[in-house]
Amino acid sequence: MHSVWEIMVRNKWIYIKAIAVLFFVWISLTQTGAAQQYDFKHYSVADGLPHGQVSMVVEGADHQMWFGTMGGGLSRFNGTEFHTYTQKDGLRDSYVTALAEDTQQRLWVATYQGGVGTLEEDSLRYRFTDSALDTVVVYNIRESPEGNIWFATYGAGAFVYNGRKLTQYTTKSGLISNTVWDFYFNDSGKIWISTHAGVSICHDSTIKDFEGNDRLNGKIIYRIHEGPNGNWWFGTNNGVTKFDGHNYEKIYTVNGDSIGYVYDIIHDYYGNIWIGSESKGVFRQFGGNGFHRVDGANGLSSNYVYNLYRDHKDHIWIATDEAGVNLYRGDEFVWFTKEKALSAEDILSVNEVREGVLWVGTASDGLWEITTHAASIRKKQIGLKGKEVWAIEKLPDGNKLLLTGDNRIWEYDGASFTDFNKKMDVPVEYTVDLFVDSAGEIWIGTDSGIYHIRNGIVRHLTEKDGLVDNFIWEITEDREGQIWISTNDGISTYDDNTFTNFTMEDGLNQNVISTITQDEEGGYWVGTTAGISYMPALDQSDTLFVNFGKEEGMEFINTQFLAFDSNGYLWQGTRASLQRLNVPKYQQTGNMEIISYNFRDQIEDFEFTHKAVEIDSSGNMWFGSTKGLLRYDPTVFDRDTAGPDVKITDVLIGAQSWEKVIQTNRASGNTKLSSSPELDDSQNDLTFTFSALEYEYPEKSQFRYRLQGFEKDWNGPTQIQETVYRNVDPGEYNFTVQARNQQGAWGPVNSVAFSIAPPFWNTYWFYGLVALSVIGLGYAYIRMRVNLLEKKRLQELVDYKTKGLQKALTEKEVLIQEIHHRVKNNLAVISGLLELQMGSADDDYIIRTLAESQRRVQSIAMIHEKLYQNEDLAEIDFKKYIKELLDIIVYSIDKDDKNIELEYNIDQIDLGIDQAIPCGLILNEVVSNAFEHAFNGSNSSTIWVDFLKNGDNIIFKIKDNGTGLPEDLEVEELDSLGLVLVNSLVQQLEGNLELQTSEEGTIFNITFEKAVAKRDLPI
């Protein structure tokens, strides 16, 4: 006989093969417990968090988030940026062990090196420096309903601060352990104290042990939490204990996973309990039932959870030991991907075959059946492995029709697949859509028209039958039973064998139509490659189509599918995003609100698939994409409709903050302005920066703002978080700003008021000064005007008189010229008479005497001639006069037997008539005498005439080189008429005559002062 061991060894390969076959069959047919991808928003060091190890999360009263880190200090987050506080801001070290904000909005902070402080403005102030609390590690800080602050410490018990004094409780006071982890305050006034050795209860200052300590999972109690249904939950070093007031339920594992150390417990908006574990992630309830594990496989950044926090919008924050903070955005959207749940990435079609069961067509792995649960799915392959399944339709007999990528249609009866093309004799052509209408008729859309099967009869409908285009994208049916056909060149409707067509000529925004759906009011929504065209019910509007695209706020326009949810919102799948159109609001107000969801922070490089949308019997929407299935729960959306708060983070005057007016409260992150501060007129360039306290989708936040007093209408919406106003006029202003989230909900308004003072020239005192100045200037102007008028009148009178005088003067000048002219003419007559007399005389002496008289007359006449010819009637050019007079003398007495030369040295001098006539007569007498008597047979005879300036005097010299006068001749004793005349004329000039004579000749040297010519004319 063979032993059992021998038989097993001999047949081991048979057993191995059998087990392998059974295993692969089981794997291929049924896979359970596949995880889903939850919607977490991660904040890490890459986003600005100072450290990845986060010990605690707290929300401030102003809805900003505070994070205590183990190595990076304290950090405040406003949805846009992190502001971190470290040792330079007063922290003793960068390891924050506890964090809390009380009802007085004081932020309490404890660090590893001991002590507790409060953050006041921009630095930490430690309050209990003289107490033992200042030297111990604080693990938790809680405020009681009475407003007392409780501190849980390591090894020093519990401390309570009532605002006046600090009280310490230790084992001597009745505590079960001096290492305290947490406090819980119930409605009866009892304080439950979690310690390292169980639970103590403090009531009326008396502390005793909790009687259920021995029935808890572990000895160390980290957290006590009371759920919404009255159950008590104890987080221990070995799972959790649930206490309903009577019975204790110890929970060590969830679905085979050990819970281990539990550091925190909370409940969410729906009452589900969340358990944060040391190394297993989070365990959460769904629907108040059993727990499911949520860890890194579901999108959590780390499985090491320190702290759970629920904010005022019921979002769950999860602080981890190594990978920052996770914000759970809720169950509104949940992804099922190949990595987490599915067997293939590309989902081409989805159809609910029965309640809770979906059939999913993939691009590479055939047809799958998925049974959905709250936290996991069960999947099983139906068939068509390796094929693309593009459409799933249900026949009236319960069989399914399936369109595959090889353009074949398969009929599935629950057991096998039949080639439907062959069965119904339908040609295998490029097929895009498959549809079964309410009457059980089959419609097949191809690139060559439609194959319509009714009662087993196949009919081919094309453009020849009235179809707008042969390339068919989708076939659907409205509530009235009319068939709507989306084509590559417009829309066709089919009713009673008649096609009705609509194209861009009728108002469509594009002729390439991908899908059509109908709303509750009977309107049609048409998906195109350019967005959506809305066709209201024909009895409700005269407008055929209203179009929505980029200009109306669509981020993406290439439509893949359209579907309405249970709230009446229209969901549009595109190649890059999912967009929600608020159709109810549009139908009420005429304004369309469009919100885009791109999921890029969860899933990369995906597209939604054409027609891959299904609404299950629970109202959930399922969307197929190239990266898996997306489930949308419309009931979750209504949980939070409030928009985000907005913070004005800074106000700049020019390029700098005006610190005297604008006080930035760094602890709250808001800019506090004094009550309507006044800026001067030069501070009129203002920059406002702001941020939205939106943590789920901060990149989707939008803002609108306005400067009241400057503009009436809102600016925006915009994603820009800054605005600039330049050259703002003086006046009262109020800057208001508002933010909205991805759902389109606007939050509360924040504002700052200020005023800009007018310039000095636009103030009341300046107006008064200007008024006084205007009055003064007016008075001065009037006085000046009067003076000007008086002066003008006087000037007119003077001008009138001057004009008369000028006229008289002109007449006098003409008269003087005429007198000179007449005198000259008369002298010329006298000269002519003398000439006649000389012609009739026989005596030489008489002739000579008459000639001398004639020359004297001519010298005088020449002066009068020069005066009346000159513009200046007072003076003549004496240089020119001397030359002309000498020419006349030479001409009149020059004899052929004498060779006499004249040499001149004459300056340019103008003389008045009173000095010109005497000088002319002197010149005539002396030169004539020299011609007559100075030269007796001399061959070289010269007469020199000098008429020169010497300062204010004139030197008049006449010289000859003749025989000279007697040496003893005295001027005063002269009896010659000519010399007497010369001497008389010199005296008339008030000059000096110096006569020099010798054998070498005679010199007449006359010196006199040049007189100013008289210009006065007698009136």
Side-chain angles (χ1 to χ4, degrees):
M1 294 181 62
H2 298 283
S3 66
V4 175
W5 176 253
E6 289 176 325
I7 295 173
M8 291 179 63
V9 170
R10 188 171 59 185
N11 297 299
K12 63 180 180 179
W13 293 112
I14 299 174
Y15 295 145
I16 292 173
K17 290 180 181 179
I19 291 172
V21 169
L22 291 174
F23 175 77
F24 283 112
V25 168
W26 177 79
I27 286 294
S28 64
L29 294 180
T30 305
Q31 298 181 34
T32 63
Q36 54 188 330
Q37 185 80 6
Y38 291 111
D39 191 4
F40 286 105
K41 173 68 176 178
H42 303 141
Y43 290 104
S44 65
V45 175
D47 301 298
L49 192 66
H51 200 280
Q53 193 173 2
V54 181
S55 58
M56 192 161 288
V57 180
V58 167
E59 182 182 25
D62 61 355
H63 303 152
Q64 295 190 94
M65 302 305 299
W66 293 89
F67 304 117
T69 73
M70 299 300 287
L74 174 67
S75 189
R76 186 193 71 231
F77 184 48
N78 64 7
T80 302
E81 60 184 0
F82 291 87
H83 182 84
T84 300
Y85 300 85
T86 59
Q87 285 95 326
K88 65 181 178 62
D89 302 297
L91 286 178
R92 288 182 177 173
D93 61 87
S94 296
Y95 295 85
V96 178
T97 56
L99 192 63
E101 185 178 79
D102 62 20
T103 52
Q104 298 181 42
Q105 298 184 20
R106 294 176 298 186
L107 187 69
W108 296 82
V109 184
T111 59
Y112 187 75
Q113 289 188 8
V116 178
T118 54
L119 192 65
E120 298 179 4
E121 293 189 358
D122 58 352
S123 63
L124 201 75
R125 183 172 76 89
Y126 285 85
R127 289 175 169 267
F128 310 108
T129 55
D130 297 331
S131 166
L133 181 60
D134 196 54
T135 61
V136 298
V137 179
V138 176
Y139 280 145
N140 215 332
I141 305 172
R142 299 281 189 181
E143 184 180 18
S144 70
E146 297 80 21
N148 297 328
I149 308 299
W150 289 74
F151 305 97
T153 74
Y154 181 79
F159 291 80
V160 59
Y161 176 63
N162 64 3
R164 299 181 303 277
K165 67 176 182 176
L166 191 68
T167 304
Q168 183 180 10
Y169 295 96
T170 64
T171 53
K172 294 180 180 180
S173 309
L175 273 179
I176 195 171
S177 171
N178 281 337
T179 297
V180 179
W181 294 101
D182 194 17
F183 308 98
Y184 181 77
F185 311 96
N186 68 3
D187 295 336
S188 63
K190 293 181 179 181
I191 302 170
W192 295 65
I193 304 173
S194 304
T195 77
H196 214 63
V199 178
S200 293
I201 299 176
C202 180
H203 189 243
D204 295 333
S205 300
T206 301
I207 300 176
K208 63 178 181 179
D209 295 345
F210 174 49
E211 61 184 14
N213 278 339
D214 58 345
R215 283 172 283 185
L216 300 179
N217 287 45
K219 185 177 181 181
I220 304 175
I221 310 301
Y222 293 105
R223 194 72 78 236
I224 302 173
H225 180 77
E226 184 177 9
N229 54 4
N231 292 331
W232 287 70
W233 297 83
F234 299 86
T236 77
N237 60 319
N238 191 18
V240 296
T241 301
K242 174 185 173 183
F243 175 56
D244 63 5
H246 303 284
N247 301 311
Y248 292 86
E249 180 185 354
K250 297 180 179 181
I251 305 173
Y252 297 100
T253 62
V254 171
N255 296 326
D257 292 319
S258 175
I259 297 175
Y261 283 78
V262 174
Y263 290 145
D264 209 350
I265 304 173
I266 62 170
H267 68 271
D268 62 19
Y269 173 82
Y270 303 100
N272 297 314
I273 297 296
W274 291 63
I275 300 170
S277 73
E278 179 195 32
S279 61
K280 301 297 178 65
V282 174
F283 297 89
R284 62 167 292 197
Q285 285 180 316
F286 286 90
N289 298 316
F291 286 91
H292 298 273
R293 181 180 174 185
V294 179
D295 59 10
N298 306 104
L300 196 64
S301 66
S302 172
N303 290 341
Y304 297 88
V305 177
Y306 269 162
N307 179 233
L308 302 173
Y309 187 84
R310 176 180 164 190
D311 66 20
H312 80 287
K313 288 191 173 183
D314 301 306
H315 302 135
I316 304 298
W317 294 81
I318 304 171
T320 72
D321 181 47
E322 58 184 4
V325 181
N326 298 262
L327 172 61
Y328 183 62
R329 293 189 284 208
D331 298 324
E332 183 180 2
F333 295 102
V334 178
W335 278 94
F336 298 86
T337 64
K338 180 179 179 181
E339 291 81 2
K340 310 300 181 183
L342 303 177
S343 58
E345 279 190 332
D346 292 340
I347 306 301
L348 304 180
S349 56
V350 57
N351 187 274
E352 185 182 40
V353 295
R354 57 185 180 276
E355 185 175 356
V357 179
L358 298 176
W359 278 19
V360 176
T362 71
S364 59
D365 204 21
L367 181 66
W368 285 76
E369 180 178 283
I370 296 176
T371 304
T372 61
H373 298 277
S376 63
I377 63 172
R378 182 189 299 272
K379 58 186 178 181
K380 178 180 68 174
Q381 187 164 35
I382 301 300
L384 301 175
K385 187 173 180 62
K387 290 184 177 295
E388 300 175 358
V389 180
W390 280 98
I392 306 169
E393 289 290 321
K394 184 179 180 180
L395 293 170
D397 60 4
N399 290 350
K400 308 296 187 302
L401 288 181
L402 307 158
L403 172 63
T404 59
D406 56 2
N407 298 312
R408 288 190 174 273
I409 300 172
W410 303 87
E411 183 176 356
Y412 180 64
D413 60 6
S416 61
F417 293 89
T418 302
D419 188 334
F420 187 76
N421 295 83
K422 186 180 294 184
K423 174 183 175 181
M424 299 303 300
D425 196 23
V426 176
V428 177
E429 298 180 359
Y430 184 79
T431 304
V432 180
D433 194 29
L434 176 65
F435 178 69
V436 178
D437 66 19
S438 58
E441 298 178 6
I442 301 169
W443 301 79
I444 302 170
T446 73
D447 64 346
S448 63
I450 297 173
Y451 289 91
H452 177 210
I453 303 175
R454 176 192 293 175
N455 299 325
I457 299 174
V458 179
R459 182 183 176 189
H460 189 200
L461 303 173
T462 67
E463 295 177 13
K464 295 179 180 180
D465 302 293
L467 189 64
V468 69
D469 187 71
N470 283 338
F471 194 102
I472 311 300
W473 281 107
E474 185 193 65
I475 305 169
T476 188
E477 181 182 18
D478 64 16
R479 286 194 296 273
E480 289 74 29
Q482 190 173 47
I483 298 298
W484 289 74
I485 304 161
S486 303
T487 80
N488 217 40
D489 197 27
I491 302 170
S492 289
T493 63
Y494 185 72
D495 190 19
D496 295 331
N497 297 322
T498 301
F499 285 102
T500 302
N501 300 325
F502 303 96
T503 64
M504 291 178 66
E505 294 180 356
D506 301 298
L508 284 169
N509 62 7
Q510 180 57 257
N511 278 337
V512 180
I513 313 299
S514 57
T515 183
I516 302 172
T517 191
Q518 189 178 23
D519 61 31
E520 291 294 328
E521 296 187 0
Y524 299 92
W525 298 81
V526 181
T528 74
T529 55
I532 296 175
S533 291
Y534 168 53
M535 180 180 184
L538 297 178
D539 58 346
Q540 296 180 4
S541 174
D542 296 332
T543 302
L544 193 57
F545 288 103
V546 179
N547 296 316
F548 300 93
K550 287 280 189 181
E551 293 183 357
E552 288 70 34
M554 280 188 176
E555 189 173 353
F556 302 97
I557 58 175
N558 199 319
T559 306
Q560 298 289 78
F561 57 73
L562 294 174
F564 281 95
D565 66 16
S566 56
N567 296 316
Y569 296 108
L570 178 64
W571 292 85
Q572 174 198 23
T574 73
R575 289 183 176 177
S577 72
L578 188 65
Q579 298 182 141
R580 193 200 73 189
L581 283 73
N582 193 339
V583 172
K585 181 178 179 179
Y586 171 74
Q587 292 174 337
Q588 292 176 3
T589 66
N591 296 320
M592 180 62 78
E593 184 180 84
I594 302 173
I595 299 173
S596 177
Y597 303 80
N598 59 37
F599 306 104
R600 297 299 174 186
D601 56 347
Q602 294 177 262
I603 306 295
E604 295 182 356
D605 300 327
F606 77 95
E607 295 181 9
F608 286 106
T609 313
H610 179 233
K611 278 198 64 179
V613 57
E614 177 73 344
I615 303 175
D616 65 22
S617 53
S618 299
N620 294 322
M621 302 184 77
W622 296 83
F623 308 110
S625 78
T626 57
K627 289 296 180 71
L629 267 177
L630 174 64
R631 185 189 69 197
Y632 165 68
D633 184 352
T635 62
V636 178
F637 171 74
D638 293 330
R639 175 175 58 86
D640 176 23
T641 58
D645 292 329
V646 62
K647 292 295 179 184
I648 300 174
T649 56
D650 203 359
V651 180
L652 298 179
I653 311 298
Q656 300 291 329
S657 292
W658 188 22
E659 295 296 335
K660 293 182 179 179
V661 177
I662 303 166
Q663 300 296 330
T664 303
N665 187 339
R666 296 182 181 176
S668 67
N670 192 19
T671 298
K672 304 290 186 182
L673 270 72
S674 61
S675 178
S676 298
E678 186 175 71
L679 311 177
D680 64 48
D681 64 290
S682 65
Q683 296 171 321
N684 59 355
D685 290 343
L686 298 102
T687 301
F688 299 90
T689 57
F690 34 84
S691 65
L693 301 185
E694 165 59 35
Y695 305 110
E696 291 186 284
Y697 301 96
E699 70 280 359
K700 291 291 185 178
S701 296
Q702 292 185 319
F703 304 87
R704 63 181 180 184
Y705 58 87
R706 61 183 172 185
L707 185 59
Q708 293 175 321
F710 179 80
E711 56 197 350
K712 293 182 179 180
D713 298 328
W714 290 95
N715 298 288
T718 177
Q719 288 189 300
I720 299 174
Q721 296 179 236
E722 179 182 281
T723 184
V724 178
Y725 291 90
R726 298 196 183 280
N727 299 320
V728 180
D729 293 333
E732 301 286 336
Y733 297 99
N734 187 30
F735 177 76
T736 59
V737 61
Q738 199 174 12
R740 73 176 179 185
N741 56 19
Q742 176 167 268
Q743 283 75 26
W746 288 103
V749 171
N750 198 356
S751 64
V752 289
F754 63 95
S755 63
I756 297 178
F760 73 91
W761 42 263
N762 198 17
T763 57
Y764 289 114
W765 67 264
F766 185 78
Y767 292 156
L769 180 62
V770 170
L772 291 175
S773 300
V774 169
I775 293 173
L777 290 173
Y779 176 77
Y781 173 77
I782 292 172
R783 294 298 305 165
M784 183 177 68
R785 182 64 175 167
V786 169
N787 291 336
L788 288 175
L789 291 174
E790 291 177 351
K791 288 182 179 180
K792 182 179 180 181
R793 177 60 182 161
L794 180 60
Q795 185 64 42
E796 289 176 351
L797 182 61
V798 170
D799 290 344
Y800 176 76
K801 294 292 186 179
T802 302
K803 186 177 181 181
L805 292 174
Q806 187 66 40
K807 181 178 179 182
L809 178 61
T810 302
E811 292 175 350
K812 296 298 181 180
E813 288 178 348
V814 173
L815 178 61
I816 293 300
Q817 288 178 336
E818 184 64 23
I819 290 172
H820 285 304
H821 184 61
R822 289 182 180 274
V823 169
K824 177 257 181 187
N825 289 340
N826 291 334
L827 291 174
V829 170
I830 295 171
S831 176
L833 291 174
L834 292 173
E835 182 74 29
L836 291 174
Q837 190 66 39
M838 284 190 296
S840 61
D842 296 328
D843 192 340
D844 292 337
Y845 175 77
I846 294 173
I847 294 172
R848 187 171 63 252
T849 301
L850 291 174
E852 291 176 355
S853 298
Q854 184 185 33
R855 287 194 296 273
R856 293 186 183 107
V857 170
Q858 287 177 340
S859 67
I860 297 171
M862 282 182 62
I863 291 174
H864 286 281
E865 182 182 14
K866 296 296 181 183
L867 284 174
Y868 85 77
Q869 290 179 348
N870 200 16
E871 291 182 0
D872 189 353
L873 298 177
E875 293 181 330
I876 65 170
D877 183 355
F878 207 69
K879 180 178 182 179
K880 184 177 180 182
Y881 169 78
I882 290 175
K883 291 181 178 181
E884 292 180 0
L885 180 59
L886 290 175
D887 289 341
I888 292 173
I889 294 172
V890 171
Y891 174 78
S892 62
I893 65 174
D894 193 14
K895 298 181 179 179
D896 296 335
D897 58 346
K898 294 182 179 181
N899 184 17
I900 301 173
E901 293 183 1
L902 290 173
E903 292 188 7
Y904 312 99
N905 186 12
I906 305 170
D907 287 343
Q908 184 67 45
I909 300 173
D910 292 336
L911 288 182
I913 189 172
D914 292 339
Q915 289 184 324
I917 291 175
C919 288
L921 291 173
I922 292 171
L923 180 65
N924 177 69
E925 292 300 325
V926 174
V927 173
S928 297
N929 187 63
F931 265 91
E932 290 286 345
H933 306 291
F935 307 104
N936 295 316
S938 175
N939 294 326
S940 178
S941 302
T942 303
I943 299 174
W944 291 271
V945 178
D946 293 344
F947 201 84
L948 304 173
K949 288 182 181 179
N950 184 17
D952 293 334
N953 294 326
I954 295 175
I955 298 174
F956 186 13
K957 182 188 292 185
I958 304 172
K959 176 183 176 183
D960 64 59
N961 57 0
T963 58
L965 297 174
E967 295 181 358
D968 57 349
L969 181 66
E970 295 292 336
V971 176
E972 292 80 1
E973 298 176 357
L974 294 175
D975 56 359
S976 170
L977 177 61
L979 294 178
V980 172
L981 184 58
V982 169
N983 189 43
S984 176
L985 290 173
V986 171
Q987 292 178 1
Q988 187 177 341
L989 289 172
E990 296 181 355
N992 295 319
L993 171 62
E994 183 179 352
L995 179 62
Q996 299 176 5
T997 183
S998 65
E999 296 178 355
E1000 296 179 356
T1002 303
I1003 300 175
F1004 286 83
N1005 194 355
I1006 302 169
T1007 303
F1008 65 92
E1009 183 180 359
K1010 183 180 183 302
V1012 177
K1014 294 181 180 180
R1015 299 180 182 273
D1016 297 342
L1017 295 176
I1019 298 175

